[in-house]
Every structure is written in C-alpha cells, then in structure tokens.
C-alpha cells in the first residue's frame, strides 16, 4: 500500500531503512530526516517503514492479548496495581477518563474544528470502556530515581495458557517497536538541526511501556461507541502496529481534518507525537489528538471475524508502545526550537489558523510532568 497507491490517511511515509543503512552525512539521509521532522511539525504523526519489523510478531502479540483479555474479570483484577497509579499491569474498563472532557484548552481545540471534523461528543463522557495492560521495556538507570512509582517491576499473568507465552511475546514485539521509535527519535533530532542522539539519550532510562488496550466488542460493538475519548498522549512518541479492527482517528495539526487511520500491511507502523515532545520543542511539534470509536468499518470487521474466526474472542486490541523520556530528566524547551515554534505559530495565524492561547512550557522533571498528566485522567490520586 506504500508508494504510488498513496496512503488513504495522507500522512508522510518515513523510511527508517534509509537512516539505518545509508551514510549519515548523505543527502538522502539528511532529506529523509528533514521529512520526518517536518511531518511531525505539520501533522503530529507519520507512518514509519522499518524492514526489521515483522507482521507475524504483531499477529502473535494480538492473539496473546485477545486470550488474556478474554479471561474472567476476577482473574484480570489480580494484575491490577492502583497503588502504582496503574502504571504497571492491567487497568480495567471504565477507569481511565479522557482528560479532554474536563480540560478547557482541549475543549477549545474541539470548538475550533469544523463541526464535520469534530470527535464524538465527550463533554458528558464517562470513563473509557477500554482495558489496558502496561509492560515495561526499560534499561535500569545507574542512579536512584526520584520517581520509583513510575518505574515499578513488571507483572506476568498467572493463567497457565498465558504465563509461558507472555514474556517472550511481549518482549519480542515490544523490542521491535522500541527499536523503530528510537531510530525515529534520531531522525527527528537530525531533521531539527540537533545532534542525532539528543532525544535518544534523554530517553535512555525512560519508563517505556508496551501498552495494548482492549475493548470488548461483544459489549461495546455498536456504531458511535467511544472506546477511547479524544485525547493526546503524555509521553514523547507513541508507536502503533496494525490493529485487527479499524476505529482510530487522528487529527492533523495543519488541516484540522479527522483522518481515519489505515496502516499498510507489512513493515509499517504509525507514530504520533506526545506531550513530552511538544514540551521539549516549545510547541514546535504539537502532541497529536486522537480517538478510538466503533464506526461502520469496525462493524464490518466484527462481522467478518464472527464468520471466519468464530472461536476467537471479539476483542479490539491496540498494538501500542509509549516511548518516554527518563523520569529524572529536566524537561525544558530547547531554545532554538522554541524560537522556531513562535515562527510556525505566527505563520499558521497568518494563514487564518488560530491555534488558541499560547502555551507556556515551564521547566520541570519528566516524572513531575507524567504525574501531573496522570491526575488529569484519574489514574493517580490527587
């Protein structure tokens, strides 16, 4: 689906292979890095091609997570850790609230969208009817972190039909997505005129999370059901493999258009900018808004799965990885990027695109930023 056919979501396709296998100082690499940075500035998202990524690993991962979330709720609850703000193990449905439902700047973003491009109404939205599992993919820091709650040990489910498969499958797919997104952090840095390892080094000890979500489509399979309300992600970059069920919509900063996501088959991943990247670039790159809903395409796939895979659980798994900066890293806008952000903002305004109140990005630790965001979405006690 790449190449001449184009992508139905109109997002740039960035080829990580060019960066990995061509000379760093070549015109081709420099151009691809600039394309990556510009895609994130313009859209807040891009499609990443990485020939190291295996669709089979994603399929194995989706099968495992379908089996896991098909378990009775009392078994799932054993893997819940509310005392750690749900930052490890399982989060059951109707726990996580979309921050946007109570967040004034976010509601203003929706107001500025054309009515036809708005997300499903979330003003009265209850917590999301989705479950989640957090599996950490980290390198332990050589120092004592100030944020141990955000850096807790992993939980392996106990069920015999899951336990043996769990670690190897999670680590295999998690490593694929982590390697891909770390390559993109390097490309983005180069494209922004920074040393290649600027962001990669800043996230070396980050509490990265393989973070699949699960929605029970037997219960929540009606058209226009909101599975994950309109929101941005709090981390640095979010990377997605293909889900079996459509329903992810993203909003491109430059157009205000709602884009239904279709990731091409094969070695392709979707990447979205998160709040940490927005903060460190002083708003040059904005965190990408998105939602997951049941639409007509979702229902078509539900019916196909019922017919062709009647023995499989009807669960929508998102194949998602959250890449974070290190919790103890000082999060402060890079001056040259902050200056460029002001230029881009002014250019947008001159084109008639009002981006609302100018956002301040105060200096703080990444762990503080994460804790602040978690309180908004009701995962951490205030």
């Amino acid at each position: 689906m790449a190449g001449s056919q184009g992508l139905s979501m109109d997002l740039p396709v960035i080829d990580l292979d060019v960066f990995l296998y061509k000379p760093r100082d070549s015109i081709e690499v420099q151009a691809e890095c600039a394309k990556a940075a510009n895609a994130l500035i313009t859209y807040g998202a891009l499609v990443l091609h990485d020939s190291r990524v295996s669709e089979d690993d994603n399929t194995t991962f989706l099968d495992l997570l379908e089996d896991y979330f098909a378990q009775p709720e009392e078994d799932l609850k054993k893997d819940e850790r509310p005392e750690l703000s749900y930052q490890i193990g399982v989060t059951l449905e109707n726990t996580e609230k979309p921050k946007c439902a109570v967040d004034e700047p976010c509601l203003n973003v929706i107001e500025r969208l054309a009515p036809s491009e708005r997300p499903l109404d979330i003003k009265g939205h209850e917590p999301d009817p989705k479950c989640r599992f957090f599996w950490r993919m980290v390198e332990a820091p050589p120092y004592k972190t100030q944020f141990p709650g955000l850096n807790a040990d992993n939980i392996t489910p106990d069920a015999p039909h899951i336990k043996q498969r769990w670690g190897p499958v999670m680590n295999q797919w998690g490593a694929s997505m982590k390697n891909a997104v770390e390559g993109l952090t390097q490309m983005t840095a180069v494209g922004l005129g920074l040393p290649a390892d600027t962001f990669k080094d800043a996230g070396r000890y980050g509490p990265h999370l393989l973070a699949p979500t699960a929605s029970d489509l037997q219960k929540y399979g009606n058209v226009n059901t909101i599975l994950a309300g309109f929101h941005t992600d709090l981390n640095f970059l979010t990377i997605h493999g293909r889900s079996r069920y459509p329903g992810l919509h993203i909003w491109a900063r430059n157009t205000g258009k709602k884009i239904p996501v279709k990731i091409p088959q094969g070695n392709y991943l979707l990447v979205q900018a998160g709040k940490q990247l927005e903060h460190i670039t002083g708003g040059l790159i904005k965190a990408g808004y998105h939602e997951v809903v049941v639409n007509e395409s979702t229902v078509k796939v539900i019916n196909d799965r019922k017919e062709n895979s009647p023995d499989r659980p009807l669960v929508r798994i998102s194949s998602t990885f959250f890449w974070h900066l290190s919790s103890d890293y000082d999060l402060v806008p890079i001056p040259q990027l902050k200056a460029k952000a002001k230029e881009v903002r002014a250019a947008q305004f001159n084109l008639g695109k009002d981006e609302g109140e100018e956002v301040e990005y105060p200096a703080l630790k990444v762990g503080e930023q994460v804790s602040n965001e978690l309180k908004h979405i009701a995962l951490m006690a205030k």
Side-chain angles (χ1 to χ4, degrees):
M1 197 169 155
S4 59
Q5 284 177 275
L7 288 168
S8 60
M9 42 184 208
D10 300 317
L11 288 179
V13 181
I14 305 302
D15 192 353
L16 183 57
D17 287 3
V18 171
F19 182 76
L20 293 176
Y21 306 121
K22 299 278 173 80
R24 287 281 172 93
D25 57 356
S26 67
I27 291 171
E28 195 177 354
V29 166
Q30 295 299 311
E32 200 69 12
C33 290
K35 185 179 169 188
N38 288 332
L40 291 172
I41 292 167
T42 306
Y43 294 91
L46 54 81
V47 173
L48 186 66
H49 174 255
D50 180 355
S51 61
R52 302 170 302 176
V53 171
S54 159
E55 182 85 13
D56 287 347
D57 288 345
N58 188 34
T59 299
T60 304
F61 169 79
L62 294 175
D63 286 344
L64 173 65
L65 270 295
E66 285 178 358
D67 291 342
Y68 173 76
F69 282 107
Q71 294 181 104
E73 188 170 308
E74 58 269 24
D75 289 346
L76 295 174
K77 277 191 93 65
K78 295 173 190 168
D79 300 332
E80 223 177 10
R81 296 294 183 274
E83 70 279 10
L84 296 174
S85 307
Y86 301 95
Q87 290 306 286
I88 206 73
V90 78
T91 306
L92 295 183
E93 62 188 41
N94 301 318
T95 302
E96 189 175 328
K97 292 180 179 174
K99 176 185 168 186
C100 200
V102 293
D103 185 56
E104 203 61 43
C106 183
L107 294 173
N108 292 340
V109 167
I110 295 173
E111 284 296 315
R112 288 195 299 273
L113 292 170
S116 62
E117 301 298 336
R118 287 177 186 163
L120 289 180
D121 185 19
I122 60 160
K123 285 190 182 175
H125 189 43
E126 295 302 306
D128 289 332
K130 69 168 190 276
C131 302
R132 186 187 291 289
F133 199 100
F134 276 159
W135 179 259
R136 288 175 66 242
M137 303 280 308
V138 301
E139 182 181 340
Y143 50 80
K144 190 174 169 59
T145 177
Q146 293 178 40
F147 305 94
L150 300 178
N151 294 270
D153 291 335
N154 273 328
I155 292 164
T156 297
D158 253 348
H161 69 298
I162 288 167
K163 190 173 186 174
Q164 296 307 315
R165 292 188 284 159
W166 191 262
V169 169
M170 297 293 273
N171 288 331
Q172 176 70 24
W173 182 237
S176 286
M177 293 212 283
K178 184 170 186 257
N179 290 337
V181 79
E182 284 183 346
L184 181 63
T185 68
Q186 293 176 294
M187 291 185 77
T188 304
V190 171
L192 292 171
L194 304 170
D197 291 336
T198 302
F199 301 137
K200 188 178 176 186
D201 287 350
R204 180 173 176 182
Y205 305 115
H208 313 300
L209 294 163
L210 181 56
T213 61
S215 303
D216 182 346
L217 296 173
Q218 299 273 28
K219 280 164 73 175
Y220 303 112
N222 292 333
V223 170
N224 288 344
T225 301
I226 300 170
L227 303 177
F230 188 72
H231 68 287
T232 56
D233 292 336
L234 62 84
N235 49 296
F236 189 84
L237 284 171
T238 300
I239 191 159
H240 302 270
R242 276 159 52 84
S243 172
R244 289 186 166 136
Y245 300 88
L248 175 61
H249 295 146
I250 68 172
W251 276 261
R253 172 186 183 177
N254 70 322
T255 62
K257 297 283 186 204
K258 179 166 70 174
I259 302 172
V261 170
K262 291 180 183 170
I263 302 174
Q265 281 189 307
N267 332 88
Y268 291 90
L269 300 159
L270 172 78
V271 183
Q272 280 199 288
K275 283 288 190 186
Q276 291 169 10
L277 179 52
E278 177 173 333
H279 201 115
I280 204 169
T281 63
L284 175 59
I285 293 170
K286 291 277 194 185
Y289 281 98
H290 50 287
E291 69 175 0
V292 181
V293 300
V294 177
N295 57 29
E296 301 286 355
S297 302
T298 323
V299 172
K300 183 177 183 305
V301 177
I302 291 172
N303 293 332
D304 287 349
R305 291 286 288 177
K306 279 180 180 173
E307 192 174 325
N308 299 319
S309 306
D311 56 329
R312 294 300 301 157
L314 274 179
V315 180
R316 184 193 189 279
I317 304 295
S318 74
S319 184
T320 303
F321 187 97
F322 295 136
W323 195 89
H324 279 260
L325 297 179
S326 307
S327 301
D328 299 270
Y329 183 78
D330 290 310
L331 188 57
V332 59
I334 294 168
Q336 73 205 67
L337 301 184
K338 188 177 176 182
K340 180 99 188 292
K342 287 188 182 297
E343 291 172 21
V344 169
R345 184 180 159 80
Q348 289 282 87
F349 189 79
N350 290 338
L351 290 170
K353 292 175 181 150
D354 176 14
E355 295 195 328
E357 296 282 316
E358 191 158 358
V359 180
E360 289 301 315
Y361 299 99
L364 75 173
K365 294 281 186 190
V366 169
E368 292 176 84
Q369 175 260 344
V370 171
S371 300
N372 293 343
E373 294 276 344
L374 291 176
K375 287 170 187 167
H376 266 295
I377 57 177
L379 293 183
M380 180 181 271
K382 290 187 168 69

